[in-house]
Amino acid sequence: MPGTPRTVTKLIEVLSSWLPSLRTRFVLLVAGLFVALSVVMIMVASYLDLKDEEQRVVSDARAIGATVSRLAVPHLTNHHYLILEQELESIAASGVVELAQVLDPARAVTIDSDPATSYFDDLETLPLVQMAFDTGIEQTHQSRKGVEIALPVRDMKDDQVLGVAYVSVTRTSVDGILFAIWGRNIVITLVLLVFCVPVTFHFAENFVRPIKELTQTAHTVSAGNFDAPFPVERTDEIGVLARAYRDMVATIRNNMARIHELAYVDPVTRLPNRESFRQHFNGNMTAPDGKPNRMSVLFVDLDRFKRINDSYGHDHGDALLKEVAARLRGLLNTVCHPLETAIGSGSTADAVGHGPAGLSPLVARLGGDEFAIVMPEGKSATDIRTLAEDLVQCVEQPLEISGLTMAVGASIGVSTYPDDGEDYTAILKNADIAMYAAKRTGGNRACFYNEIESDTRARERIRLEAELKTALLRDEIRIVFQPKIDCASMKVVGAEVLARWDHPERGMLAPGCFIDVAEESGLIAKLGDRVMELACLQGRAWLDRGRSMPIAVNVSIRQLEKPGFTARVLEILNFTGFPAELLQFEVTETVAMADPEGVSQTTKPLLEAGITFAIDDFGTGYSSLAHLQRLPFNTFKIDRSFISRLAADHHSRSIVQTIIAMAKSLNYEVVAEGVETEEQHVFLKEHGCTTAQGFLFARPMPADRFESWSRGFLQPLPSAADRGNTGRTGSHFAA
């Protein structure tokens, strides 16, 4: 507490540790206040009683003095000194009066209550007596020992002063008075304390009880039970606190439900997402007896979906995905619970949620146009094959989307746990391989992983994987550069690096021939490191020749996920001497949005080193502006599918304009991919696109050709008539 001495603060801390109970603290606080008030009361009462005692002694002395004065009148008048002396001695015998005297000034006689003296004795006149006689008024003197009063003795008839009466009254000692007063008040305080402590305990119990109830409710909520009741019916402060706590818990519950939905539910189809599917699979891998549960995973990929998505837009694509998801879920429900479906008992979600053998079948959307289904042991291989064929037939039925009739197919790959893999990753990868095998044979069919081992193309894929490993060891990977052109100045402002495989038998292979194999086999990290190293070495060589060329390199999700990626990048930059500020990483929008937090954490040290980042294929994913602001990107690369339809599709033009406008508002650069016509270039330039790349300017080329080409690039673009004479678009700049 501010202003509190450290010693007092320490004492409070010690007492708080000793007295954890709120009720005990409350009782002790009340008792302490009571004791403190009692001490103050005793002190005040003692002071007042002491004053009263002093006033009483003075009053007694004055009363005795008045009595002595009245008694002395007749005796002084008649000079009956002996009788007066006897009366004074009797007054002093009471023990209250220490000394009583009467002065007869006319005869200079002093009569007192002391038996040892006589009125014949020549006694000295007391100063107080003399003062009373001289002034004719009462004189009082107080001391610690007693009270002295001298009163003139007057003749009532003629008001003549006959003499002076003197009384000395002994006062009880202050210590004795205080002891008596304190003793009395302490007894009263103890009686009141004995009465008040039980009352205080009772009151404290009633006071603390609602707080204890609220605390128990809080513990119940913290244990996960958000339906615990709160004492909201109270009208006091506890009720206000309970209502505030209830509202807070309701908000937390809603937020947790929302977080759970974002983490485990696909926002488009409302199906479980990839993470939910993974947890479901991993949670059902082992039976209670420790043996593995047999499960089949069906990997479903839609055929011709991209064509529909590109032609009609993402809204129609999302609507199609929703319809396909409903069909898959409905079919799975029918297969697993035909009786319940026939009589209409329970919802689809409820029916699918309970499978045979205690395991639950589940359909999920993994991303894009990919779905996955896990089926428990209760289904035989024949049942799974029948289900896969039914799924193909279910999906290929025409769909009505916004008044349009659309048709897609489904290529399905099936793998079985534990026969086809030891964990979730292996099972899903093998189901994916089986799905690609189905696509290679025309699609719209199902293929089992255990049946493609003898397939020629499967063996080819395995052989290609082995050859790719050898290619990395033999340094058969090459890179080519596709230039980036400033739309306004028409200067070469950078280049995108693309990988090529110089195969000893097949010649130069494009990435489409081996990237999938690299991804599935885990070789993509080594391949990406090699491409990055070659790109930085060439960039450094150009820099040494006086040419500063920004270079963009594509990065896959597997590279970002691999531990040590950041350290490896910085190591390559340090080894090659290529400046980090000239290096840009291109990450696809789908990858960036799949795990924004992970991407942000991975890229943060690279961003601090000076590396820039671009979102590749922007517009094809589901970007969130909130996520974009937290991610380290500073460049949008508009997907080539939008650029290719600029001339014929109004929606594509609107999308491109919107992306450019959004990039400007976020202070991003914009790169348009796939520019092949002058009309596309003019449109992009007029609407503020920063940079373009495509066959209009040049095809990807090796470093030496890129260098010579870029030196002679700044020439006027050919007119439409000239391009017509050449017989191909952009041939003036094509490599």
Side-chain angles (χ1 to χ4, degrees):
M1 293 180 291
T4 304
R6 294 183 60 185
T7 305
V8 177
T9 304
K10 186 66 175 178
L11 179 61
I12 293 175
E13 293 177 355
V14 172
L15 291 177
S16 299
S17 63
W18 286 351
L19 304 171
S21 171
L22 182 62
R23 184 184 65 175
T24 304
R25 294 184 187 182
F26 180 81
V27 171
L28 290 180
L29 174 63
V30 174
L33 290 175
F34 182 83
V35 171
L37 291 175
S38 298
V39 171
V40 173
M41 182 191 70
I42 291 174
M43 297 298 293
V44 173
S46 300
Y47 174 78
L48 295 177
D49 288 349
L50 188 60
K51 288 297 181 181
D52 290 344
E53 182 65 21
E54 291 179 353
Q55 292 298 325
R56 185 189 64 78
V57 173
V58 172
S59 298
D60 290 347
R62 186 173 285 114
I64 295 172
T67 301
V68 172
S69 176
R70 288 194 301 272
L71 290 174
V73 171
H75 298 300
L76 290 179
T77 302
N78 299 318
H79 306 297
H80 295 162
Y81 300 138
L82 182 59
I83 298 173
L84 179 59
E85 186 177 36
Q86 292 174 350
E87 290 178 350
L88 294 178
E89 289 179 359
S90 64
I91 291 174
S94 63
V96 176
V97 177
E98 180 180 6
L99 178 64
Q101 281 186 349
V102 174
L103 171 66
D104 185 358
R107 296 193 178 188
V109 175
T110 300
I111 304 97
D112 62 19
S113 59
D114 187 0
T117 62
S118 171
Y119 63 87
F120 295 107
D121 297 335
D122 185 13
L123 299 177
E124 182 181 358
T125 303
L126 297 174
L128 195 66
V129 172
Q130 187 64 44
M131 189 179 299
F133 180 76
D134 294 339
T135 60
I137 60 176
E138 176 184 320
Q139 301 294 325
T140 304
H141 176 261
Q142 298 184 43
S143 65
R144 294 178 59 87
K145 295 182 179 180
V147 178
E148 299 174 272
I149 293 181
L151 298 92
V153 178
R154 297 179 182 276
D155 188 350
M156 301 303 295
K157 295 180 180 180
D158 54 10
D159 196 31
Q160 179 183 0
V161 176
L162 303 177
V164 176
Y166 168 83
V167 175
S168 174
V169 178
T170 303
R171 174 183 291 171
T172 307
S173 66
V174 175
D175 294 340
I177 296 173
L178 290 178
F179 181 79
I181 295 172
W182 287 357
R184 180 180 67 253
N185 289 332
I186 288 173
V187 171
I188 295 173
T189 300
L190 291 176
V191 172
L192 292 176
L193 188 62
V194 170
F195 171 77
C196 290
V197 167
V199 175
T200 304
F201 266 102
H202 178 73
F203 178 75
E205 181 65 26
N206 292 334
F207 178 78
V208 174
R209 184 182 297 111
I211 299 178
K212 292 173 64 177
E213 293 175 356
L214 192 59
T215 303
Q216 292 174 355
T217 302
H219 285 306
T220 304
V221 171
S222 65
N225 181 14
F226 289 95
D227 296 323
F230 290 93
V232 296
E233 69 282 353
R234 297 178 64 96
T235 58
D236 55 8
E237 289 80 358
I238 299 298
V240 174
L241 179 60
R243 286 187 288 274
Y245 203 173
R246 178 199 59 187
D247 296 341
M248 180 186 69
V249 170
T251 302
I252 293 175
R253 176 167 49 190
N254 293 336
N255 290 342
M256 290 186 64
R258 179 59 179 161
I259 292 171
H260 183 275
E261 180 177 319
L262 293 174
Y264 297 107
V265 178
D266 176 64
V268 176
T269 63
R270 311 305 300 169
L271 290 175
N273 62 9
R274 179 185 291 269
E275 177 61 20
S276 180
F277 185 82
R278 182 188 68 82
Q279 292 189 12
H280 180 84
F281 183 93
N282 289 337
N284 289 321
M285 288 177 61
T286 306
D289 59 2
K291 296 181 179 179
N293 281 322
R294 295 185 60 82
M295 294 181 287
S296 295
V297 171
L298 294 81
F299 195 104
V300 182
D301 185 88
L302 302 184
D303 300 329
R304 303 181 298 280
F305 173 76
K306 190 176 188 304
R307 185 183 308 168
I308 292 176
N309 208 36
D310 293 343
S311 301
Y312 297 103
H314 291 291
D315 291 342
H316 288 76
D318 289 348
L320 187 148
L321 290 173
K322 292 178 184 177
E323 179 62 26
V324 170
R327 290 186 178 186
L328 295 177
R329 187 162 47 190
L331 178 61
L332 186 62
N333 182 60
T334 303
V335 171
C336 295
H337 300 272
L339 179 59
E340 289 186 8
T341 303
I343 64 176
S345 63
S347 65
T348 299
D350 293 337
V352 173
H354 302 281
L359 303 182
S360 303
L362 183 72
V363 55
R365 182 190 177 205
L366 302 185
D369 59 347
E370 297 176 343
F371 297 84
I373 299 172
V374 59
M375 295 298 296
E377 183 182 9
K379 297 295 180 181
S380 64
T382 303
D383 293 333
I384 296 298
R385 187 179 300 276
T386 301
L387 174 61
E389 294 173 352
D390 291 342
L391 290 171
V392 171
Q393 295 177 10
C394 174
V395 172
E396 69 179 357
Q397 299 299 319
L399 304 97
E400 291 289 334
I401 306 296
S402 301
L404 299 174
T405 301
M406 303 178 184
V408 293
S411 295
I412 301 178
V414 183
S415 64
T416 302
Y417 173 80
D419 299 343
D420 299 329
E422 297 180 353
D423 54 23
Y424 166 79
T425 303
I427 290 297
L428 196 65
K429 182 188 79 169
N430 293 337
D432 189 20
I433 292 174
M435 181 272 295
Y436 275 108
K439 278 189 177 292
R440 286 195 298 268
T441 57
N444 209 36
R445 64 183 294 266
C447 185
F448 283 71
Y449 177 77
N450 59 3
E451 296 177 355
I452 65 172
E453 294 181 354
S454 59
D455 184 81
T456 303
R457 295 192 180 186
R459 292 201 304 270
E460 174 65 18
R461 195 176 185 89
I462 295 173
R463 186 168 72 90
L464 192 63
E465 178 181 337
E467 290 179 349
L468 181 57
K469 291 180 181 179
T470 304
L472 291 170
L473 294 174
R474 294 179 179 178
D475 198 17
E476 296 175 358
I477 303 301
R478 306 287 181 264
I479 58 173
V480 293
F481 299 85
Q482 184 167 32
K484 295 181 178 180
I485 309 300
D486 186 285
C487 290
S489 66
M490 291 301 294
K491 292 182 179 180
V492 180
V493 293
E496 179 182 359
V497 176
L498 302 172
R500 296 289 187 267
W501 181 3
D502 188 6
H503 197 282
E505 299 176 0
R506 307 180 192 182
M508 199 66 71
L509 300 180
C513 299
F514 59 89
I515 286 297
D516 289 344
V517 175
E519 288 276 3
E520 294 173 6
S521 62
L523 295 174
I524 189 66
K526 291 184 179 180
L527 177 62
D529 289 349
R530 182 55 182 161
V531 170
M532 193 187 316
E533 184 177 348
L534 292 173
C536 292
L537 286 171
Q538 184 59 56
R540 180 71 245 184
W542 281 334
L543 199 61
D544 292 340
R545 293 198 289 271
R547 184 177 181 85
S548 178
M549 180 63 62
I551 293 176
V553 178
N554 291 282
V555 177
S556 74
I557 182 63
R558 292 189 180 273
Q559 288 177 268
L560 292 174
E561 291 176 343
K562 186 174 181 180
F565 172 73
T566 300
R568 178 60 180 152
V569 172
L570 298 177
E571 180 184 346
I572 291 175
L573 290 174
N574 183 60
F575 167 71
T576 61
F578 187 64
E581 58 270 16
L582 294 180
L583 180 62
Q584 183 177 75
F585 285 148
E586 295 185 2
V587 182
T588 62
E589 183 182 11
T590 303
V591 169
M593 292 302 106
D595 184 13
E597 294 298 332
V599 171
S600 179
Q601 290 296 323
T602 302
T603 57
K604 182 178 179 181
L606 300 177
L607 187 69
E608 293 173 350
I611 298 173
T612 58
F613 288 83
I615 298 184
D616 200 6
D617 300 337
F618 187 77
T620 60
Y622 301 93
S623 293
S624 164
L625 290 179
H627 287 156
L628 284 177
Q629 290 180 338
R630 295 200 303 268
L631 290 171
F633 300 106
N634 58 5
T635 302
F636 286 156
K637 295 196 71 175
I638 305 176
D639 187 68
R640 64 180 66 248
S641 62
F642 299 116
I643 305 300
S644 65
R645 298 197 301 269
L646 282 177
D649 187 0
H650 170 73
H651 292 292
S652 294
R653 292 195 296 272
S654 299
I655 291 173
V656 171
Q657 292 177 23
T658 301
I659 293 175
I660 294 174
M662 181 172 64
K664 287 182 177 179
S665 67
L666 295 174
N667 199 26
Y668 281 22
E669 296 183 6
V670 183
V671 178
E673 297 182 294
V675 179
E676 298 185 357
T677 66
E678 183 180 357
E679 289 77 9
Q680 295 170 353
H681 171 254
V682 171
F683 177 88
L684 294 169
K685 179 180 177 182
E686 289 178 348
H687 288 85
C689 181
T690 311
T691 311
Q693 66 182 81
F695 291 172
L696 174 64
F697 310 109
R699 295 177 182 272
M701 63 192 84
D704 53 349
R705 289 185 58 192
F706 179 89
E707 191 171 2
S708 61
W709 171 87
S710 60
R711 283 196 296 267
F713 172 69
L714 285 178
Q715 303 177 30
L717 283 173
S719 64
D722 293 337
R723 289 199 312 276
N725 293 334
T726 62
R728 61 179 183 175
T729 301
S731 61
H732 183 74
F733 299 105

